[in-house]
Amino acid sequence: MTQYKYLLDEKELPTHWYNILADMKEPPPYYRHPVTLELMKDPPMPPPVFPMALIAQEFSPERWIEIPEEVRDVLKMWRPSPLYRAVRWEKALDTPARIYYKWEGVSPPGSHKPNTAVAQAYYAKKEGLEGLATETGAGQWGSALCFATRLFGLKCKVFMVTISYHQKPYRRIAMEAWGGDVVPSPSSETQAGRNILAVDPETSGSLGIAISEALEYAVTHEGWKYSLGSVVNFVLLHQTVIGLEARKQMEMAGDYPDIVIGCAGGGSNAAGLIYPFLKDRLTGDRPNLRAIFVESAACPSMTRGIYAYDWGDTAKTGPVAKMHTVGHGFIPAPVHAGGLRYHGMAPSICALLDQGEVEARAYQQNACFEAALSFAQAEGFIVAPETAHAVRAVYDEAMACKESGEAKVILFNNSGHGHFDLGAYDAYHRKELPDYELEQEKIEQALRELPEIPA
Ligand SMILES: *Cc1c(COP(=O)(O)O)cnc(C)c1O
């Protein structure tokens, strides 16, 4: 059987990142100050918690931003990543659709996340910093940053949500193997953590609390800054290497996608694949291209939230962004796709959604694991629970093609492997995986706490 696998030479690794803000009819509105709620028109955003080069990228109007040679050197460890055509899965589904996927599980930490972690570590090193502090839920982002900081000789401090720290030790062990300093959050190392522990010493923690701790750690330690793994423009920018490579690989395959799909927690892997193709729609070359961002029904910011200004973190210390949100105080059910449990979404994706340029969809976890198993049994790869959401959307689109007889071309981002999440597959097999029916009242309650924007 012919292997439909499209590989690029190292020389073809992109030299520039693609900045979609340059091609949007209207870019997302400015951030607002977390306390005064005033528009923050002039970067840097106070406090300057990120390396300055990243703050400049966040607001850059340039369409193409050069990737530093040192960053490309590290990315070459696993990039360009392969693109496959899922011929065996197409056959198993008996669909006329042609399905392609970009495989990001080839990076050492096993997902797309090091694409930005490497860039962030590089700029931190260049700025003369000693280390980066961050938060992590299930540990995918934390492991990507520990890996990247290590390669640039920096330290990494990770505040890991307590419940995951105890329930999912393998990612912690990986972070420690790369030299990271991982503490369960809330911890006694920050005022934010001590305040929470004083009230509830047995708390299981949350991503919102962990963000507050990492921010506090960064601003109270000389030579340290904060690092974020999704949502903001510069992270999505760094992820566009995925789509830029995929464009060349689709060309090798002699195809162009009708539909591009990615799962979305904060939106970085999906935007990374989608934006370089969406460029063609925005500039009028491919007006019918469909882009679908797939979220978890347990945290449905795009499909059931509202488009409004909200704080990026629970403690209300970070900037306020206009985005689709279910409210910064919303606590999602403990679904296995830990990376899809963020209350908001990348502001650029939200603006595109509002402008009708992209679509959003949500799925319950059982439907996702069903599709992920069908994919694994045909293509071999056992995908991350987050990725399984994209796989489900592809499955449904392929089935729609079977109904209609249309041979559409579908491309999706296979954002990472699920080797640390096999417990979730086990729960699915044992029929112990709950689907959570989210009551509208719970969302409305969280939305009552949105900031009141001054006129
Ligand atoms: C973190 C993660 C996601 C979700 O994050 P985005 O920023 O939305 O991409 C998706 N897939 C994998 C494998 C992840 O690790």
Side-chain angles (χ1 to χ4, degrees), residues 111-113 140 229-230 263-270 339-340 384 386-387 415-416:
S111 78
H112 66 287
K113 289 197 169 82
Q140 286 152 317
S230 190
C263 67
S268 74
N269 87 84
L340 303 188
E386 291 83 0
T387 317
S415 56

Side-chain angles (χ1 to χ4, degrees), residues 116-448:
T116 183
V118 168
Q120 294 191 40
Y122 164 77
Y123 290 118
K125 180 71 184 179
K126 207 174 158 215
E127 205 175 290
L129 298 181
E130 185 184 333
L132 287 172
T134 199
E135 71 287 336
T136 197
Q140 286 152 317
W141 168 242
S143 50
L145 195 66
C146 288
F147 155 75
T149 47
R150 188 69 194 181
L151 291 186
F152 285 100
L154 293 165
K155 292 179 184 159
C156 192
K157 180 84 180 180
V158 183
F159 292 89
M160 184 174 190
V161 178
T162 287
I163 188 162
S164 303
Y165 184 94
H166 295 298
Q167 283 182 353
K168 300 186 173 179
Y170 294 111
R171 289 245 173 230
R172 167 182 59 79
I173 296 165
M175 288 187 262
E176 289 169 349
W178 282 308
D181 177 10
V182 190
V183 290
S185 165
S187 76
S188 55
E189 293 190 31
T190 67
Q191 194 56 49
R194 287 190 293 273
N195 289 348
I196 303 273
L197 288 173
V199 179
D200 183 6
E202 302 298 322
T203 180
S204 53
S206 76
L207 209 50
I209 297 166
I211 294 176
S212 305
E213 287 206 88
L215 274 167
E216 181 183 327
Y217 190 91
V219 298
T220 55
H221 287 74
E222 182 75 30
W224 284 72
K225 283 196 173 176
Y226 172 68
S227 176
L228 191 60
S230 190
V231 182
V232 291
N233 295 333
F234 68 76
V235 174
L236 273 56
L237 176 81
H238 299 158
Q239 293 295 351
T240 58
V241 289
I242 302 171
L244 293 167
E245 289 174 5
R247 282 185 68 109
K248 292 187 187 170
Q249 289 161 311
M250 289 301 291
E251 220 173 287
M252 286 167 77
D255 254 335
Y256 187 93
D258 296 300
I259 311 174
V260 199
I261 296 174
C263 67
S268 74
N269 87 84
L273 176 71
I274 290 171
Y275 281 0
F277 289 95
L278 196 67
K279 176 179 190 294
D280 293 348
R281 176 182 163 119
L282 298 178
T283 54
D285 290 345
R286 297 275 181 173
N288 298 321
L289 175 76
R290 288 177 61 203
I292 308 177
F293 290 84
V294 189
E295 63 187 7
S296 163
C299 196
S301 57
M302 294 180 290
T303 53
R304 289 177 68 186
I306 59 168
Y307 188 39
Y309 273 101
D310 194 9
W311 283 280
D313 65 317
T314 313
K316 308 198 270 194
T317 43
V320 178
K322 186 155 183 196
M323 57 185 176
H324 288 82
T325 178
V326 283
H328 59 273
F330 181 81
I331 311 233
V335 289
H336 281 277
L340 303 188
R341 296 179 72 236
Y342 182 64
H343 68 271
M345 189 54 64
S348 63
I349 295 173
C350 296
L352 288 161
L353 192 60
D354 191 57
Q355 291 160 18
E357 301 289 358
V358 304
E359 303 166 35
R361 193 181 285 184
Y363 287 110
Q364 295 280 4
Q365 57 183 352
N366 276 298
C368 298
F369 280 101
E370 183 193 358
L373 277 175
S374 141
F375 181 78
Q377 287 166 15
E379 295 293 314
F381 295 113
I382 299 172
V383 305
E386 291 83 0
T387 317
H389 289 69
V391 172
R392 179 68 209 200
V394 176
Y395 179 96
D396 283 358
E397 290 300 324
M399 286 308 178
C401 285
K402 188 172 169 177
E403 286 278 308
S404 68
E406 283 175 286
K408 286 190 182 150
V409 177
I410 306 170
L411 166 65
F412 77 97
N413 198 11
N414 192 344
S415 56
H417 69 64
H419 299 174
F420 292 112
D421 305 286
L422 291 174
Y425 280 86
D426 196 32
Y428 175 78
H429 278 136
R430 288 188 275 108
K431 302 198 186 334
E432 287 170 5
L433 206 58
D435 278 341
Y436 298 95
E437 271 319 317
L438 177 55
E439 287 149 33
Q440 190 60 25
E441 174 51 29
K442 207 182 154 206
I443 299 177
E444 273 159 25
Q445 198 180 326
L447 291 179
R448 272 178 223 128

